[in-house]
Amino acid sequence: MAYQPSEQFKKTLLGSGAVLVLAALNAPAAVSFATDKYHAYKIAQPGYQKKYGSWAVIDVPEQFRVNAIHAALLHTGKVLLIAGSGNNQKKFDAGTFETVLWDPADNTFKKIPTPEDFFCSGHSQLPDGRLLVAGGTARYEVLDGEVEKAGGGMRVKNESPDKAVTLPKGTVFRSPTGIEYVSRFDVTVPKARREFEVSYFKSGQMKPWKTKITAAEARVFVEAREAGPQALTTEAAQYEVVGLKGADADNVYGLAQKLTTEKQDFQGIKAAYEFDPRAERYVPVDPMTDARWYPTLVTLDDGRVLAVSGLNDVGDVVPGDNEIYDPVTKKWSKGPFRYFPTYPALFLTQGGKLLYTGSNAGYGPAEKGREPGLWDLKKNSFTKLPGITDPDQLETSSSVLLPPAQDQKVMVLGGGGVGESAKSTARTAVVDLSKADPSYTEGPSLPQGTRYLSSVLLPDDTVFTTGGSRKYRGSSGSDILRAQFYDPAANAFAEAAAPTVGRNYHSEALLLPDGRVATFGSDPLYGDGDNTKLGTFEQRVEVFTPPYLHRAGAGRPVIGEGPRELDRNGRATFRTRDAGRIVAARLMRPSAVTHSTDVEQRSVALGLTKGGDGLTVTVTVPGDRTLVPPGWYMLFVTDADGIPSEAKWIQVD
């Protein structure tokens, strides 16, 4: 007789089976939970943190959370987080522009009234510690298929040598066929230029003076009053300015090459301001000659600031008209002419030339202005630098002047293809500008292809790199939760603790005066790995504590009382009880960073002597202002284990 299980056995078996099935179904979640728990335990251990560092998300009160498009460290120790409209069309339309000032010393925040849309502006540290902010957004882009009214750039001419003409926003331009177009912004056209030809004798007779009038010109964006194909034109024409009378009507007119419904790019503004760290407010200065959106501002050896590239007031890349700001007169003047794509990475090198690493943030044709080179501003000559691999993947790459600045080595890290390209590269490359014939040589690879990588100089002469994504704006869930240290002396990477917050487009990282690194922002295109949900801007602030701070069990070196400025010999003496422990000193310029571009930060090695009483140290700063541009710097000293002091702020004239 065959065995027949009892009903009780059947129930027990079924119950056990259900438990086994449920356990099997939940095994991945259970394993993941256990793995996460173990990982959290592991990274909290002192031994781990001494080797890899640690991360912490900062508590930001809701009313101070902001879309940090720009971040700059001020000599007060506070961080200026600039959003402007924050890549938010609704805030732009409402005129809601935001800036928040964060004090990392006590984690307090303050809202700063923001007079213009500084979204995608440029910024640079000035000699007196103010931050120059120039450019921003005049109009958001309208994509292909969404443009309802024909529009484009209108060149407004003025043939009167006697007066300039201002046409307010809303001025109507009428075509020869009667189609009307309306200006979106105010535009001022200067007076025409009057030139005289010198009189001369011929055949014993005096010939009369001759006068030549050259019309002045300005640009303004216009769009058709009415939607419809009748407003489309691809032929050059002259346009009447409706409302002008008499001589003004004859002297002032518009010219346009084409007015279409093609994609309309972002448009820049001319406004410029200095942010005063003491008063904690924006102070207006003279506007730029050209409107700029996505410009780079780089400090020169005399303290003036060069503004380069950007999209202008009709949405075109500025064709090469660069300009220079003088912080003494608060005015702009014409700079050397040279074309670059937007947000080009330009570094002041020893001797005064600017190095263009090839890194940039995007706008501009793929075949123009993307090759690295040395730019001699005085001669306006450009010498291309060969040797870089993946030259078609320099967009959204990171560039950094390696420490110490005296070595004159510059590194390029990662990057991707032009625009929304799927390409990304793990390539790094280093150029040694001290060589007679410099060229890029390949460095160690990043763990994977990376766009939007942040790179931050540390006081121990390493470079901390973090974040980024494999794909355009982190699409397909491609944010990279990894970080690493680059050691220039060993030319090698070492692992660092992994961040918990993804950072891609519109993200920043910078060194704080206490030796930590703060990270901000991120603007993913999508909010999931399947690209089915729109992304949301990352407003959390995460701070990295490097291993050197976890190793400081016996305390950090301390520099005490001392001057805020150098003496006539470039020296400064500080009291300290740690003179015997201190082995090195670095002068570190504070960051002003956006779009993976930070051309301000640099670390300069200083001469170091110790007082005979063992209670003072004296640092000597190089006198070469192409190596140490004027401004405020953080002074760090380190011991033999690479443990840094907290920074002292000191001004270099």
Side-chain angles (χ1 to χ4, degrees):
M1 181 178 177
Y3 171 71
Q4 296 289 327
S6 68
E7 289 299 316
Q8 180 63 36
F9 181 84
K10 289 179 182 178
K11 291 178 181 178
T12 302
L13 183 63
L14 287 171
S16 301
V19 170
L20 289 171
V21 169
L22 286 171
L25 290 173
N26 288 312
V31 170
S32 176
F33 176 77
T35 301
D36 289 346
K37 281 294 210 182
Y38 174 71
H39 179 70
Y41 167 79
K42 182 179 74 172
I43 65 176
Q45 299 309 300
Y48 179 92
Q49 295 178 345
K50 288 178 181 179
K51 185 175 181 180
Y52 301 105
S54 64
W55 289 89
V57 175
I58 298 300
D59 179 33
V60 181
E62 186 173 355
Q63 68 268 32
F64 297 113
R65 294 172 192 169
V66 68
N67 292 359
I69 307 294
H70 313 265
L73 177 64
L74 307 174
H75 76 277
T76 57
K78 299 179 182 181
V79 179
L80 195 69
L81 300 174
I82 305 173
S85 57
N87 204 16
N88 185 312
Q89 176 86 53
K90 291 182 180 179
K91 288 189 174 182
F92 175 81
D93 293 340
T96 303
F97 310 140
E98 298 176 301
T99 300
V100 167
L101 192 62
W102 172 48
D103 188 344
D106 57 10
N107 199 41
T108 56
F109 298 83
K110 177 182 178 180
K111 288 186 177 180
I112 303 296
T114 308
E116 307 274 356
D117 189 5
F118 294 133
F119 170 53
C120 294
S121 60
H123 26 62
S124 184
Q125 303 282 0
L126 295 175
D128 66 355
R130 295 189 180 202
L131 182 78
L132 176 65
V133 182
T137 304
R139 185 173 187 261
Y140 270 60
E141 68 180 356
V142 186
L143 301 176
D144 282 328
E146 298 180 7
V147 181
E148 297 178 352
K149 297 179 180 180
M154 179 73 68
R155 296 160 54 207
V156 186
K157 294 281 192 174
N158 179 16
E159 293 186 354
S160 170
D162 300 318
K163 66 176 182 177
V165 175
T166 297
L167 302 179
K169 173 183 176 181
T171 295
V172 176
F173 294 81
R174 183 179 292 144
S175 76
T177 59
I179 305 298
E180 293 185 344
Y181 301 84
V182 181
S183 65
R184 293 295 304 265
F185 312 103
D186 297 344
V187 60
T188 297
V189 194
K191 295 186 293 185
R193 189 170 69 252
R194 180 187 282 120
E195 297 175 344
F196 297 101
E197 292 186 4
V198 179
S199 60
Y200 60 96
F201 283 99
K202 185 175 181 181
S203 302
Q205 295 182 343
M206 174 73 79
K207 296 293 183 181
W209 289 84
K210 293 183 180 180
T211 303
K212 179 183 178 182
I213 302 296
T214 302
E217 179 180 307
R219 293 184 307 267
V220 68
F221 186 84
V222 300
E223 64 181 10
R225 187 189 289 277
E226 304 291 339
Q230 74 281 354
L232 298 172
T233 176
T234 57
E235 296 183 359
Q238 182 169 315
Y239 293 74
E240 169 195 358
V241 180
V242 176
L244 294 185
K245 305 293 183 183
D248 286 344
D250 294 332
N251 289 327
V252 182
Y253 53 91
L255 296 174
Q257 297 296 320
K258 63 177 183 177
L259 298 167
T260 72
T261 54
E262 296 172 356
K263 175 190 174 184
Q264 296 169 357
D265 276 319
F266 282 94
Q267 296 165 10
I269 60 176
K270 300 178 180 181
Y273 286 74
E274 291 181 357
F275 185 80
D276 184 339
R278 298 294 186 192
E280 297 184 345
R281 66 185 181 93
Y282 289 104
V283 179
V285 296
D286 269 13
M288 296 179 289
T289 300
D290 278 284
R292 298 182 190 271
W293 185 88
Y294 265 51
T296 290
L297 272 59
V298 56
T299 304
L300 304 177
D301 60 305
D302 59 4
R304 296 182 304 157
V305 176
L306 176 67
V308 171
S309 192
L311 299 188
N312 61 22
D313 46 6
V314 296
D316 297 331
V317 178
V318 176
D321 300 291
N322 307 308
E323 46 195 307
I324 295 176
Y325 178 74
D326 187 334
V328 176
T329 64
K330 315 293 185 187
K331 297 182 181 298
W332 297 84
S333 60
K334 189 174 182 179
F337 184 91
R338 186 155 298 277
Y339 172 90
F340 294 96
T342 55
Y343 278 137
L346 294 163
F347 292 89
L348 178 66
T349 68
Q350 197 163 13
K353 296 178 182 178
L354 293 182
L355 169 66
Y356 170 49
T357 65
S359 296
N360 64 86
Y363 288 83
E367 68 282 355
K368 185 178 180 182
R370 295 179 181 264
E371 290 186 87
L374 275 169
W375 184 17
D376 187 326
L377 299 181
K378 294 178 180 178
K379 298 178 181 178
N380 196 21
S381 61
F382 190 83
T383 305
K384 294 179 181 178
L385 294 177
I388 198 160
T389 55
D390 294 339
D392 62 334
Q393 296 177 64
L394 284 167
E395 189 168 296
T396 65
S397 61
S398 176
S399 292
V400 63
L401 175 61
L402 293 174
Q406 284 92 333
D407 287 354
Q408 290 292 282
K409 292 181 179 180
V410 180
M411 190 176 197
V412 175
L413 305 96
V418 174
E420 299 183 23
S421 167
K423 291 182 178 180
S424 64
T425 178
R427 173 263 297 118
T428 73
V430 177
V431 59
D432 185 347
L433 299 174
S434 67
K435 293 184 176 179
D437 191 18
S439 64
Y440 278 100
T441 58
E442 193 165 348
S445 294
L446 294 165
Q448 60 201 106
T450 308
R451 305 179 69 139
Y452 317 108
L453 184 72
S454 288
S455 301
V456 180
L457 304 181
L458 298 181
D460 64 355
D461 283 354
T462 62
V463 181
F464 177 67
T465 70
T466 182
S469 63
R470 295 191 314 278
K471 297 185 178 180
Y472 176 77
R473 288 185 64 179
S475 57
S476 303
S478 62
D479 279 354
I480 299 169
L481 295 177
R482 299 187 69 160
Q484 45 275 321
F485 303 102
Y486 173 72
D487 182 351
N491 191 30
F493 284 107
E495 182 183 355
T500 64
V501 179
R503 306 286 182 190
N504 54 68
Y505 181 55
H506 286 153
S507 64
E508 307 85 36
L510 53 76
L511 177 69
L512 298 174
D514 62 8
R516 296 179 299 161
V517 175
T519 62
F520 317 92
S522 190
D523 197 357
L525 194 58
Y526 299 105
D528 63 342
D530 296 326
N531 296 340
T532 60
K533 300 177 182 178
L534 289 178
T536 56
F537 202 103
E538 179 57 71
Q539 295 184 328
R540 286 177 291 176
V541 176
E542 191 172 24
V543 174
F544 177 69
T545 300
Y548 52 56
L549 295 182
H550 288 289
R551 297 197 311 266
R556 305 169 63 175
V558 176
I559 45 178
E561 294 180 0
R564 302 272 279 178
E565 298 177 352
L566 303 173
D567 66 18
R568 65 179 64 185
N569 297 310
R571 295 179 302 195
T573 299
F574 297 86
R575 298 195 64 80
T576 176
R577 294 183 179 275
D578 295 319
R581 179 182 175 187
I582 295 168
V583 299
R586 295 290 182 266
L587 206 60
M588 305 193 72
R589 192 171 177 89
S591 288
V593 57
T594 186
H595 291 75
S596 304
T597 305
D598 185 356
V599 300
E600 284 291 333
Q601 63 170 343
R602 64 176 55 209
S603 176
V604 181
L606 305 183
L608 178 68
T609 57
K610 301 175 184 181
D613 58 2
L615 296 176
T616 61
V617 291
T618 299
V619 296
T620 303
V621 176
D624 185 348
R625 290 296 166 263
T626 64
L627 188 64
V628 193
W632 283 85
Y633 287 77
M634 292 180 284
L635 170 64
F636 288 95
V637 295
T638 55
D639 66 12
D641 294 323
I643 298 172
S645 64
E646 290 199 22
K648 284 280 189 181
W649 287 95
I650 190 165
Q651 188 175 18
V652 176
D653 292 326

